Amino acid sequence: ILQIILTGITAMSTQKNIFLSSEGDEWYKRNLSAIENKKEEDPVLKIMALYDSTPKKTLEIGCSNGWRLSGLEKATHSQCFGIDPSAQAIEDGKEKYPHIQLKIGSADEIPFTKNMFDCVIIGYCLYLCDRDDLFKIAYEVDRVLQDNGIVVIYDFCTEIPYYNRYQYHDNIQSFKMAYAKLFTWNPFYRTICSINMNYNKSLSLEIPKDDQINITLLKKDKKNAYIMNPYVY
């Protein structure tokens, strides 16, 4: 019985479960006004437009209330789906954007079928995911993404993996690393573009390392991932 209790406590202490149970809603309430201000100048949508990304069916992981998906739908007529751990964000999104299909969910267990999407946006959430779930997250994204589809990763990006304390909860840490590496180790994925920006949006020639965020567009291309043996003479 003690082992079952301890196992339950350990499971509930994961960052995923903290966000699903409470912090997802708290994050949404803290950032709602900022979200409203982002709609007109979202760098993800700008870069997708710059590279002429016009997906037919899009999933956003960490979609909040679906505001970015709404903008993408208007620009590209993509059929849009989103998941987020915040029940309040999903509820608000269903009222504001009834044409977008939103669900409560997490990146390590995507509630959609194989090869369903030609675009997956991972929207500024990987830095808060449990480290043990990163392999599962990459697998799940690859599972739902069609061949020749694109992945858009928007998150902190640092050369050295490290963490900061999360200021809003004692049992959460904020992890920073180069998240595109979750996919680029695999020859199935190639980089279309990678752009660094300043999290604080201040103008400077050099971005402070702790403030560096990145948008990377990746293409899944299984057909051209491997070449014939170049070492046979």
Side-chain angles (χ1 to χ4, degrees):
I1 295 175
L2 179 60
Q3 184 175 0
I4 294 174
I5 293 173
L6 291 175
T7 300
I9 292 172
T10 300
M12 286 304 297
S13 67
T14 64
Q15 298 197 171
K16 168 186 170 178
N17 284 324
I18 293 171
F19 272 87
L20 284 169
S21 64
S22 59
E23 182 54 29
D25 286 343
E26 294 301 317
W27 186 98
Y28 180 64
K29 287 187 285 187
R30 285 194 306 268
N31 290 277
L32 186 56
S33 60
I35 288 170
E36 293 298 319
N37 294 330
K38 289 178 180 178
K39 291 181 180 179
E40 301 301 323
E41 298 184 0
D42 179 47
V44 172
L45 295 184
K46 284 186 175 182
I47 290 174
M48 290 181 69
L50 181 65
Y51 283 86
D52 197 27
S53 299
T54 55
K56 295 180 180 178
K57 188 174 287 188
T58 302
L59 169 67
E60 183 176 11
I61 300 168
C63 67
S64 184
N65 64 4
W67 64 272
R68 176 178 288 126
L69 290 170
S70 179
L72 180 67
E73 187 206 40
K74 290 176 182 177
T76 68
H77 305 291
S78 177
Q79 186 179 2
C80 293
F81 301 74
I83 60 173
D84 195 276
S86 169
Q88 184 174 334
I90 297 301
E91 182 180 347
D92 288 353
K94 287 180 177 180
E95 292 183 6
K96 290 182 179 179
Y97 314 112
H99 48 289
I100 298 175
Q101 300 187 45
L102 302 174
K103 294 184 179 183
I104 299 170
S106 59
D108 63 312
E109 295 180 282
I110 298 175
F112 296 104
T113 58
K114 184 177 181 180
N115 299 328
M116 184 169 172
F117 304 100
D118 60 345
C119 176
V120 177
I121 300 171
I122 310 176
Y124 201 54
C125 60
L126 289 172
Y127 76 105
L128 294 171
C129 292
D130 294 291
R131 300 299 89 181
D132 288 345
D133 286 345
L134 292 183
F135 280 117
K136 293 167 65 178
I137 291 168
Y139 168 80
E140 282 289 278
V141 171
D142 180 72
R143 179 182 65 81
V144 300
L145 183 68
Q146 302 167 8
D147 193 21
N148 295 309
I150 63 169
V151 178
V152 184
I153 302 173
Y154 178 41
D155 217 304
F156 287 106
C157 183
T158 59
E159 296 177 3
I160 301 172
Y162 67 91
Y163 70 90
N164 291 317
R165 290 184 65 104
Y166 184 71
Q167 62 177 311
Y168 301 105
H169 198 290
D170 291 340
N171 294 324
I172 295 176
Q173 294 171 337
S174 169
F175 297 95
K176 300 185 180 184
M177 58 173 278
Y179 284 103
K181 290 182 178 180
L182 294 176
F183 299 92
T184 55
W185 67 268
N186 188 330
F188 282 180
Y189 288 87
R190 60 182 176 85
T191 302
I192 299 173
C193 76
S194 180
I195 300 174
N196 291 330
M197 295 169 290
N198 192 329
Y199 171 74
N200 290 316
K201 298 182 180 179
S202 58
L203 296 177
S204 60
L205 294 177
E206 184 174 349
I207 303 172
K209 297 299 183 183
D210 200 46
D211 292 338
Q212 182 167 286
I213 57 176
N214 173 274
I215 299 179
T216 297
L217 272 67
L218 305 171
K219 183 172 183 179
K220 181 178 181 179
D221 185 1
K222 297 169 69 173
K223 181 179 179 181
N224 297 303
Y226 292 85
I227 62 173
M228 285 289 292
N229 184 353
Y231 304 110
V232 175
Y233 300 98

